[in-house]
Amino acid sequence: MKEELIARVVQVLRINMSWMTWNLFLAFIPLALSVWLFRIKRGGTWLWWLGFLVFYAFLPNAPYLLTDVIHLIDDIRMIQSIWMITLVLIPVYLLVILGGFEAYVISLINWGYYLHRIGKSQWIWRFELLTHFLCAVGVYWGRFLRFNSWDFITQPDAVLTKGVEEILGKQPLVIIAITFVVLAGLYWIMKRVTLSLSQPDSKIGINSGRANSNTPNV
C-alpha cells in the first residue's frame, strides 16, 4: 500500500513537472528582460522599446502561476494521503507559485528602479497599478481564453477582437477585478519582504507613493 502511494505521488509529480518547468521558464523571461532593460540598458533606442513591449507581453506569465493552484485540487483527489499532500505536494506547488510571483515582484522593482533613475519616482506606484491591471487582463486571457504571449504576433487580430470582446462581459470584469486586487495585495506584501531582505537596513523603496522614498535598491 505504501509503495503504491509513493508510486502515485511520483507519477503526479512527473506529470506536473513538464508544465511547472515550462510555466516557470515563461515567468522568468520578463525577469531576465527587466534586468537587461532597467538595470543594464539605457532607454531610448528602438531595441530597448522592442524589449519593453516583449517584457509586458510576457509579464502576465509570472502571476499566471497563481492560477495553477487549480491543478493542486485534482492532485489532492488523486493522492488522498494527508501526509504526502502536506509534506510533498503542497511544498512543491508553493515553491513553483511563489517562484513565479517573486519573478513578477522583482521585475516590477527593477522597473521602479529605472523610473527612479530617470527622475520619475512619483510615477512608480501609478505604473505598478497599471501593470497589475494589465496583468489581470493577461491572466484572464491566458486562463480562460487560452491565449499565449506569442499570440500578439501570431494572431493579433484574435487577441484584439475576441480578447477585448470577452473582457467587456460582467463575469470577466468581476474576475479581472478580483485578480487585480489579489495581485496588488500580494505584490504590496512581497515587495516589502523582498526589499527588506535585500536591504535590511534601508526603508528606501518601500513607500511607492512618496517621491522621495522610491529607490528600489535591489
Side-chain angles (χ1 to χ4, degrees), residues 22-23 26 57-58 60-61 64 138 141-143 145-156 159:
W22 176 246
N23 285 358
L26 293 177
F58 277 89
N61 289 295
Y64 177 85
W141 281 352
R143 175 53 66 189
L145 304 185
R146 309 309 298 170
F147 283 129
N148 297 306
S149 298
W150 45 85
D151 286 333
F152 285 101
I153 298 177
T154 59
Q155 46 178 339
V159 174

Side-chain angles (χ1 to χ4, degrees), residues 41 71 92 118:
K41 196 74 174 175
H71 299 297
V92 170
I118 63 175

Side-chain angles (χ1 to χ4, degrees), residues 19-76:
W19 68 259
M20 284 181 173
T21 304
W22 176 246
N23 285 358
L24 272 178
F25 170 74
L26 293 177
F28 277 87
I29 289 178
L31 174 59
L33 283 172
S34 74
V35 174
W36 181 74
L37 288 168
F38 308 132
R39 296 284 184 168
I40 300 174
K41 196 74 174 175
R42 296 187 66 86
T45 66
W46 68 268
L47 185 61
W48 189 91
W49 282 108
L50 177 62
F52 184 76
L53 292 176
V54 174
F55 166 76
Y56 262 100
F58 277 89
L59 188 58
N61 289 295
Y64 177 85
L65 278 159
L66 292 171
T67 68
D68 284 330
V69 72
I70 63 174
H71 299 297
L72 176 61
I73 300 173
D74 295 331
D75 291 343
I76 289 175

Side-chain angles (χ1 to χ4, degrees), residues 12-13 16 72 75-76 79 84-85 87-93:
V12 168
L13 292 178
N16 288 334
L72 176 61
D75 291 343
I76 289 175
I79 294 177
M84 288 295 183
I85 292 171
L87 299 178
V88 179
L89 198 61
I90 291 180
V92 170
Y93 268 88

Side-chain angles (χ1 to χ4, degrees), residues 149-178:
S149 298
W150 45 85
D151 286 333
F152 285 101
I153 298 177
T154 59
Q155 46 178 339
D157 293 341
V159 174
L160 294 177
T161 55
K162 183 180 179 181
V164 173
E165 180 182 345
E166 284 288 332
I167 66 174
L168 295 179
K170 182 178 180 180
Q171 182 176 351
L173 286 177
V174 171
I175 295 174
I176 290 171
I178 294 174

